[in-house]
Coordinates of all heavy atoms in Angstrom, one line a residue:
Chain A
I6 N 70.3 85.0 131.2 CA 70.0 86.4 130.8 C 68.6 86.7 131.1 O 68.2 87.7 131.7 CB 70.2 86.6 129.2 CG1 71.7 86.4 128.9 CG2 69.7 87.9 128.8 CD1 72.0 86.5 127.5
L10 N 67.5 89.5 134.0 CA 66.8 90.7 133.5 C 65.3 90.6 133.9 O 64.5 91.5 133.6 CB 66.9 90.9 132.0 CG 68.4 91.1 131.5 CD1 68.4 91.3 130.0 CD2 69.1 92.2 132.2
D22 N 68.9 77.2 126.4 CA 70.1 76.7 127.1 C 71.4 76.8 126.3 O 72.4 76.3 126.7 CB 69.8 75.2 127.6 CG 69.5 74.3 126.4 OD1 69.2 74.9 125.3 OD2 69.6 73.1 126.6
A28 N 77.9 90.6 124.1 CA 76.7 91.3 123.8 C 77.0 92.8 123.4 O 78.1 93.3 123.6 CB 75.8 91.3 125.0
Y40 N 80.9 96.1 114.4 CA 81.9 95.2 115.0 C 81.5 93.8 114.6 O 80.5 93.3 115.1 CB 81.8 95.3 116.5 CG 82.2 96.7 116.9 CD1 81.3 97.7 117.4 CD2 83.6 97.1 116.9 CE1 81.6 98.9 117.7 CE2 83.9 98.4 117.3 CZ 83.0 99.3 117.7 OH 83.3 100.6 118.1
V46 N 74.4 88.7 121.5 CA 73.2 89.3 122.1 C 73.1 90.7 121.7 O 74.0 91.5 121.9 CB 73.2 89.1 123.6 CG1 71.9 89.6 124.2 CG2 73.5 87.7 124.0
T52 N 62.0 98.8 117.9 CA 61.2 97.6 117.4 C 60.7 97.8 116.0 O 59.6 98.2 115.8 CB 60.0 97.4 118.3 OG1 59.3 98.7 118.5 CG2 60.3 96.8 119.7
M62 N 72.1 89.3 110.0 CA 73.3 89.6 109.3 C 74.5 89.3 110.1 O 75.6 88.9 109.6 CB 73.4 91.1 108.8 CG 72.3 91.5 107.8 SD 72.3 90.4 106.4 CE 70.6 90.6 105.9
D64 N 74.7 87.2 112.6 CA 74.6 85.8 113.2 C 74.4 85.9 114.7 O 75.0 85.1 115.4 CB 75.9 85.0 112.8 CG 76.1 84.8 111.3 OD1 75.1 84.5 110.7 OD2 77.2 85.1 110.9
V71 N 64.5 96.3 125.6 CA 64.5 97.0 126.9 C 63.3 97.9 127.0 O 62.6 98.2 126.0 CB 65.8 97.7 127.1 CG1 67.0 96.8 127.2 CG2 66.0 98.8 126.1
K74 N 59.6 97.4 125.5 CA 59.3 97.5 124.1 C 58.9 96.1 123.6 O 59.4 95.1 124.1 CB 60.5 98.0 123.3 CG 60.8 99.4 123.6 CD 59.9 100.3 122.8 CE 59.7 101.7 123.4 NZ 60.8 102.6 123.4
D87 N 64.6 82.2 112.0 CA 66.1 82.2 112.1 C 66.6 81.6 113.4 O 67.8 81.6 113.7 CB 66.6 83.6 112.0 CG 67.6 83.8 110.9 OD1 67.4 83.3 109.8 OD2 68.7 84.3 111.2
G88 N 65.6 81.2 114.3 CA 66.0 80.6 115.6 C 66.6 81.6 116.6 O 67.3 81.2 117.5
M91 N 64.0 85.8 121.4 CA 63.7 87.2 121.7 C 63.1 87.3 123.1 O 62.3 86.4 123.5 CB 62.8 87.8 120.7 CG 63.4 87.9 119.3 SD 62.7 89.2 118.2 CE 61.0 88.7 118.0
T107 N 78.2 92.9 134.6 CA 78.7 92.6 135.9 C 78.6 91.1 136.3 O 79.3 90.6 137.1 CB 78.1 93.4 137.1 OG1 76.7 93.4 136.9 CG2 78.5 94.9 137.0
L110 N 78.9 88.8 131.2 CA 78.7 88.8 129.8 C 79.4 90.1 129.3 O 78.9 91.2 129.5 CB 77.2 88.8 129.5 CG 76.9 88.7 128.0 CD1 77.4 87.3 127.4 CD2 75.4 88.8 127.7
A115 N 86.5 94.2 124.6 CA 87.5 93.2 125.1 C 88.0 92.3 123.9 O 89.0 91.7 124.0 CB 86.8 92.3 126.2

Side-chain angles (χ1 to χ4, degrees):
Chain A
I6 295 178
L10 302 181
D22 60 342
Y40 300 103
V46 183
T52 47
M62 297 304 155
D64 301 311
V71 297
K74 293 283 157 66
D87 234 49
M91 296 206 294
T107 48
L110 189 65

